[in-house]
Amino acid sequence: MTPKVSVIVPCYNQAQYLDECLQSVLDQTHQNWECIIVNDGSTDTTEETAKKWIAKDPRFSYVYKENGGLSSARNAGLEKAQGDYIQFLDSDDMIHREKFSKSLIHHSEYPLMVSQFTIYRNHTHYPGYNHVEQEYLSFEGIVFGWDLKFSIPIHCSLISKELLKGFLFDTSLTSCEDWLMWIYVMKDYPKVFLVDEPLAHYRKEDNNSSMSSDLYKILHQRIKILPILKKLYGDDLHDRLAYHIIDVRSSQFIEMRSEFYKITGGRLISGYLNFKKYYYKLFQKRTKTGFCSKRGSVSVI
């Protein structure tokens, strides 16, 4: 019997994209699947849209919960999943109609399958922001390369439920929660089948407000993950990763500063430093004058 795939679709106020997302599931050439639509307290027409799909095909099911965030919604889906493999699919993203069939060709040998992806913007597909390489798909590759060298949209993967046994997304995180999932899945070095075709489509509309665009929040979330990794995997991994991040980011900053200096010929920086020097001199002069004047007035009294 062919393996069953559980598709988990967390939804929060993105009903305008949900039809396209669920249609991409219905179109799968691999027919043995279930799709769990998790409404995370949406205030738009998500419920009406979801119920339309439930009426269309019994393989769709619907769960409503109070708003708790993306991780909480994915966890609710995991609790309901009955399949052999898990496909995470955010409600604004899509998958190619042959994603399941092409990924599951060697399912008896591989518990984890990963495909390439495209960026879907304004009804047009563009190449993904990185090309997934086989070397990335290891425990060390995920730990030390994530966000520094590459990242992989979560719906690129098709994951054996056994690999996710005991795992729940950390609801305290608002970013990088998928990174922790990848680390957990890769911790025992499973065999990974790389499908070198773009079978996942990641939506990045121009009007989308996304945390991925807020680099400060991403940095803070990444720092927040370090003590979690320390608790889960020990001091050695935590320390190696912390030093690695500092080394990579420092090197990137130095390289960027060097390139900027080459482009400007140092003129902009020199001008700024001269202005800063003049400002400090002026400030010191005024401070000194004011101090002497105050002393003089006191002495007269």
Side-chain angles (χ1 to χ4, degrees):
M1 185 177 178
T2 59
K4 184 175 183 177
V5 177
S6 293
V7 187
I8 297 174
V9 182
C11 307
Y12 181 69
N13 289 346
Q14 290 190 314
Q16 70 269 34
Y17 303 125
L18 188 55
D19 280 334
E20 282 186 287
C21 172
L22 299 182
Q23 186 67 52
S24 75
V25 177
L26 185 63
D27 289 342
Q28 290 300 303
T29 54
H30 177 90
Q31 295 291 303
N32 191 12
W33 53 264
E34 64 173 356
C35 182
I36 306 163
I37 307 165
V38 183
N39 184 353
D40 188 37
S42 299
T43 56
D44 63 0
T45 59
T46 291
E47 181 167 316
E48 292 88 336
T49 303
K51 287 183 176 179
K52 178 183 69 176
W53 285 89
I54 293 169
K56 183 180 294 189
D57 193 304
R59 290 174 292 180
F60 291 102
S61 62
Y62 177 71
V63 176
Y64 177 85
K65 60 180 289 298
E66 295 296 322
N67 180 250
L70 177 61
S71 291
S72 175
R74 285 174 177 164
N75 289 341
L78 280 173
E79 290 176 6
K80 298 286 185 181
Q82 298 296 315
D84 304 295
Y85 285 85
I86 303 296
Q87 169 72 62
F88 294 107
L89 180 61
D90 291 348
S91 57
D92 57 339
D93 295 329
M94 295 168 286
I95 50 178
H96 189 278
R97 63 190 299 270
E98 293 184 290
K99 186 174 193 296
F100 297 166
S101 57
K102 289 189 174 183
S103 297
L104 291 168
I105 291 173
H106 305 293
H107 68 86
S108 59
E109 185 179 356
Y110 296 94
L112 175 60
M113 302 83 169
V114 180
S115 75
Q116 305 293 346
F117 64 100
T118 66
I119 302 295
Y120 187 68
R121 175 181 284 129
N122 300 329
H123 306 289
T124 305
H125 291 278
Y126 300 93
Y129 41 74
N130 59 258
H131 187 272
V132 181
E133 304 289 348
Q134 190 75 50
E135 64 186 80
Y136 301 164
L137 302 175
S138 67
F139 182 73
E140 286 79 10
I142 293 293
V143 171
F144 297 106
W146 192 268
D147 269 351
L148 300 174
K149 192 174 182 180
F150 68 92
S151 59
I152 307 171
I154 196 169
H155 61 305
C156 288
S157 61
L158 197 57
I159 309 169
S160 167
K161 196 175 182 182
E162 285 301 307
L163 290 181
L164 288 165
K165 191 174 183 179
F167 175 80
L168 288 174
F169 288 93
D170 192 318
T171 56
S172 71
L173 297 171
T174 55
S175 178
C176 300
E177 78 291 332
D178 53 338
W179 183 33
L180 278 182
M181 182 212 73
W182 282 102
I183 293 173
Y184 185 90
V185 165
M186 301 300 296
K187 70 184 187 320
D188 294 324
Y189 299 87
K191 293 183 67 176
V192 186
F193 178 48
L194 177 61
V195 185
D196 200 16
E197 294 183 53
L199 303 180
H201 308 306
Y202 180 52
R203 188 188 298 272
K204 289 289 289 183
E205 298 292 1
D206 292 337
N207 60 351
N208 258 7
S209 58
S210 171
M211 185 173 179
S212 62
S213 62
D214 192 330
L215 298 180
Y216 287 106
K217 285 187 178 180
I218 291 175
L219 176 61
H220 292 152
Q221 288 292 300
R222 191 174 181 85
I223 292 171
K224 190 175 180 180
I225 278 181
L226 286 172
I228 298 174
L229 286 177
K230 185 174 185 177
K231 181 179 179 181
L232 292 174
Y233 302 108
D235 291 347
D236 180 63
L237 184 68
H238 167 272
D239 294 349
R240 286 167 59 205
L241 179 58
Y243 293 140
H244 180 68
I245 292 173
I246 292 170
D247 177 54
V248 171
R249 292 304 189 201
S250 297
S251 299
Q252 289 174 343
F253 174 74
I254 292 170
E255 184 176 342
M256 287 173 61
R257 188 172 63 177
S258 175
E259 289 300 314
F260 180 73
Y261 189 85
K262 289 178 183 177
I263 293 170
T264 63
R267 292 185 300 275
L268 187 62
I269 296 174
S270 297
Y272 168 72
L273 292 176
N274 286 333
F275 173 77
K276 193 173 182 181
K277 185 177 180 182
Y278 168 77
Y279 172 79
Y280 281 140
K281 281 185 177 180
L282 183 64
F283 180 77
Q284 288 172 350
K285 184 178 180 181
R286 287 184 176 179
T287 303
K288 186 176 181 181
T289 303
F291 178 68
C292 290
S293 175
K294 187 176 181 180
R295 286 187 61 189
S297 62
V298 171
S299 64
V300 170
I301 295 173

